[in-house]
Amino acid sequence: NVRQKLSVMIDKVFEDVKYSSSQEIKKEAVFGIYANQNFTLSNGYVAIAKGTLVATTKVVEGVAQDTDSIDLPEGEYYVRELEASYPYTILDETKNVTLAYESNEKERLTFGAGEFVNKPETATVTLIKLSTSTLKDVVLNGKEIDTSKLDEEVQALLKELSGKSTEEVKAYLQEKQVKFVAGAKYGVYIDKECTKPLYVENEDGQFEKAEMLTDDTGLITMGKVPLGTYYFKEIEAPKGYELSEDVVKLELTLENKDAVVYQALIEEPVLGKGIIKTDAFTGDYVDNCEFELRDVETDEVIVHSTTGTYKEDKLLREQGQGYIPLDKIVEGRTYSYTELSAPNIYDLNTEPHEFTAHFDENGDWDVEPIEVENRRKTLKGSLTVRKVDDETGEPLEGCKFSIVLLDDNGEPYVNKDGKTIYLVENAVTDEDGEYIIDKVPYGTYKFIEVEAPEGYEKAEEEMENYVFTIDENSSEDIIFEVTNTGDIAVYALAAVALVSILGIIYAIKRNKKLIVN
């Protein structure tokens, strides 16, 4: 008879997995065949000691290959897995097999070592996206918390979360009114450079890149994730937020099979959305207006700031004057903003104003910045411009004049749009020689004669005495009287107090009468 060769066959079963580090899962394993007894020669010498690896066999896609050494002596052996392909882990079990020759003509006898079910070691991973201005990225592994980058307030919060289940964490954060963030898309990778993605099995049984989207509760849950090291990186930001470049590392081990990954959403100032304070009279931006923004539902103060403090903010305007960015508002929520203080020349607007935050399909704010006008305080009475003949005291009809607002340098005020600001422009005195202006805003002004009445010569000089200021010290009513002084080359401004309620009279000696022969 031909001496028969003995080999071992493995019945290998691979459980299906949902995740893989490559598009193709390799269902491969290598098994070792060990002596389960001492094999001795006729002289008593031990040729193969118990526990010696005597042969290996490979399983590819569940099919056992030939044993690399099939010329085995008969006797007792055991089989153990030596290598497993990702994402499967090496089995910690052995199976015994007895090899014995038979009296037949077969060249090789094959013995089955039994079934090995190869299961991937997996874990459940939960990603929670939170909205907060202070919380940094952190991974909670059971009760081990990395708080090296966190301030005291956040450390206290995370310690409260330690050891809680996903649902318990969610309930806790809701109770504390910590907002979840929906619509954040994450890629999951197996390298820290985030170039090698984890793959997930789709409904068609094909593997595609793992891309997870936070739901309405701000959660992503991945079950049966093979143990290993993973990196989470945001690949699409929620509406209204800038994309985070931070990478969150997570190590899944046998001791840490259920991990919760917390990532904070660090809000950036929202482009095109803010409060702009403008002067209703000049149209220019107003600094030093204090505002408070509240969440209508929770009454929480979201922003408390002053216009003009964002000089370096070039997203909205070159210098950021009169501007407060609203950097903590959330899609769909309603807010109210209230003015708390303003420069002295303005009336304070204490009424709260509401708006609801909305985004367009590109994730940008679909509304313009909120422009709030500041109205200047005004003269309680009226300003009357009166034109009379100095010699006769008769009123002069048809005097055309302008009153221009002056800036801090004493020059005509030109606003951000290049427009000169006038109290009145090209106004004309009536048959009584008067022009009356009500509700004159606080400010410093200059009277300019544009055209003299018929029969009078318009003086060319523009004297500093034509400048006057309206403020809290002004009388209720003011009369500006412009008179003719004959052939005087230099004119003067005289203030004459009235006994009547008119207050102050400004007598401007302004025109030279034409003499007709």
Side-chain angles (χ1 to χ4, degrees):
N1 292 335
V2 178
R3 182 169 180 241
Q4 297 162 320
K5 298 179 180 180
L6 306 180
S7 64
V8 178
M9 291 291 287
I10 306 295
D11 186 4
K12 184 65 175 175
V13 177
F14 293 89
E15 269 197 0
D16 289 336
V17 294
K18 188 177 181 181
Y19 297 93
S20 171
S21 62
S22 63
Q23 287 178 302
E24 297 295 332
I25 292 181
K26 295 180 179 180
K27 295 183 177 180
E28 298 181 358
V30 176
F31 286 83
I33 303 169
Y34 294 82
N36 204 19
Q37 67 177 67
N38 289 327
F39 290 91
T40 59
L41 300 176
S42 58
N43 61 4
Y45 177 78
V46 177
I48 303 175
K50 183 178 180 179
T52 301
L53 175 65
V54 295
T56 59
T57 184
K58 191 173 184 180
V59 177
V60 180
E61 293 298 318
V63 178
Q65 310 300 302
D66 286 339
T67 308
D68 63 355
S69 175
I70 58 174
D71 191 7
L72 298 176
E74 64 179 4
E76 300 298 324
Y77 297 86
Y78 64 88
V79 178
R80 169 176 288 169
E81 189 171 37
L82 300 178
E83 298 178 14
S85 57
Y86 178 91
Y88 300 98
T89 54
I90 298 174
L91 293 173
D92 186 21
E93 64 175 307
T94 61
K95 292 185 181 295
N96 296 327
V97 60
T98 300
L99 301 184
Y101 293 108
E102 297 179 3
S103 57
N104 55 42
E105 300 296 325
K106 289 183 179 180
E107 182 177 351
R108 174 177 143 187
L109 296 178
T110 301
F111 294 83
E115 182 180 81
F116 287 83
V117 179
N118 208 220
K119 296 181 179 181
E121 283 289 349
T122 62
T124 298
V125 177
T126 300
L127 173 69
I128 301 182
K129 189 77 167 178
L130 305 175
S131 177
T132 171
S133 295
T134 55
L135 190 62
K136 304 296 182 183
D137 296 343
V138 63
V139 176
L140 277 76
N141 298 333
K143 294 186 178 181
E144 297 177 5
I145 304 174
D146 177 11
T147 58
S148 59
K149 297 181 180 180
L150 306 179
D151 59 28
E152 292 182 3
E153 180 181 352
V154 177
Q155 289 185 33
L157 171 64
L158 295 179
K159 287 178 181 178
E160 288 290 330
L161 302 180
S162 178
K164 295 182 183 294
S165 67
T166 299
E167 290 303 315
E168 288 173 334
V169 168
K170 178 179 174 181
Y172 177 87
L173 294 175
Q174 286 177 334
E175 178 185 352
K176 297 295 183 181
Q177 296 184 343
V178 178
K179 297 180 179 66
F180 295 97
V181 180
K185 182 181 287 188
Y186 277 80
V188 187
Y189 304 88
I190 61 172
D191 65 320
K192 63 181 180 180
E193 291 79 19
C194 296
T195 59
K196 300 177 182 179
L198 181 70
Y199 286 84
V200 58
E201 186 178 16
N202 61 25
E203 295 179 353
D204 299 326
Q206 303 298 316
F207 282 87
E208 56 190 21
K209 293 179 182 178
E211 295 180 354
M212 310 301 181
L213 188 69
T214 56
D215 61 18
D216 291 339
T217 63
L219 298 179
I220 295 172
T221 300
M222 297 178 291
K224 295 185 177 180
V225 180
L227 300 185
T229 300
Y230 301 96
Y231 300 85
F232 295 80
K233 184 176 182 180
E234 191 174 47
I235 57 177
E236 185 176 308
K239 289 182 178 180
Y241 298 100
E242 293 189 356
L243 187 68
S244 173
E245 296 297 327
D246 296 332
V247 176
V248 182
K249 179 181 178 181
L250 173 63
E251 292 182 288
L252 295 179
T253 64
L254 289 173
E255 293 75 26
N256 170 36
K257 292 185 59 176
D258 294 304
V260 182
V261 182
Y262 294 86
Q263 185 171 33
L265 185 63
I266 310 302
E267 296 101 334
E268 298 295 336
V270 181
L271 301 182
K273 188 67 176 180
I275 295 176
I276 300 176
K277 195 68 171 177
T278 58
D279 187 317
F281 183 31
T282 66
D284 274 348
Y285 306 121
V286 180
D287 286 347
N288 301 315
C289 294
E290 183 183 8
F291 271 89
E292 188 175 77
L293 181 78
R294 289 178 177 268
D295 187 309
V296 171
E297 181 180 347
T298 65
D299 200 38
E300 175 188 3
V301 176
I302 306 299
V303 175
H304 185 154
S305 191
T306 303
T307 59
T309 58
Y310 296 86
K311 298 296 186 183
E312 301 304 319
D313 190 333
K314 297 182 180 179
L315 301 178
L316 187 63
R317 287 194 314 282
E318 185 174 354
Q319 294 182 335
Q321 294 155 318
Y323 173 58
I324 294 176
L326 304 181
D327 57 352
K328 301 176 184 178
I329 53 181
V330 178
E331 159 75 4
R333 298 191 73 85
T334 300
Y335 302 89
S336 67
Y337 56 91
T338 306
E339 187 177 49
L340 303 180
S341 66
N344 189 47
I345 67 170
Y346 297 102
D347 285 325
L348 186 64
N349 184 355
T350 59
E351 293 296 322
H353 301 272
E354 291 188 1
F355 71 94
T356 300
H358 288 296
F359 303 99
D360 62 21
E361 60 184 6
N362 297 320
D364 299 320
W365 292 103
D366 62 359
V367 293
E368 295 299 320
I370 302 168
E371 292 198 19
V372 183
E373 285 189 336
N374 254 111
R375 297 194 177 276
R376 295 190 179 206
K377 296 176 182 178
T378 61
L379 187 68
K380 293 181 180 179
S382 61
L383 170 65
T384 300
V385 177
R386 180 182 293 166
K387 185 71 173 179
V388 298
D389 185 301
D390 186 50
E391 295 179 358
T392 65
E394 292 296 320
L396 297 178
E397 181 181 2
C399 173
K400 183 182 289 186
F401 66 93
S402 297
I403 298 178
V404 66
L405 179 69
L406 299 183
D407 61 22
D408 293 338
N409 297 318
E411 300 295 330
Y413 191 108
V414 179
N415 71 8
K416 59 183 175 61
D417 299 320
K419 178 183 177 182
T420 301
I421 304 302
Y422 291 92
L423 178 62
V424 292
E425 187 176 9
N426 296 327
V428 180
T429 56
D430 61 16
E431 59 184 8
D432 296 324
E434 295 182 345
Y435 189 91
I436 300 174
I437 309 168
D438 294 323
K439 296 182 179 180
V440 180
Y442 281 13
T444 299
Y445 299 91
K446 185 173 185 177
F447 176 91
I448 302 172
E449 188 171 79
V450 177
E451 186 178 309
E454 185 178 354
Y456 291 83
E457 181 180 314
K458 183 172 78 73
E460 298 299 329
E461 294 91 346
E462 293 186 358
M463 301 181 61
E464 292 181 0
N465 287 341
Y466 297 158
V467 175
F468 61 95
T469 298
I470 304 296
D471 57 23
E472 67 272 12
N473 298 317
S474 299
S475 301
E476 289 189 4
D477 293 280
I478 294 176
I479 293 179
F480 216 49
E481 188 170 278
V482 184
T483 62
N484 170 265
T485 61
D487 289 330
I488 298 177
V490 179
Y491 309 97
L493 177 66
V496 180
L498 294 182
V499 178
S500 68
I501 62 171
L502 296 178
I504 300 175
I505 296 179
Y506 290 99
I508 300 183
K509 303 177 187 297
R510 184 71 178 89
N511 289 88
K512 173 182 176 183
K513 187 175 182 180
L514 296 176
I515 299 176
V516 180
N517 294 325

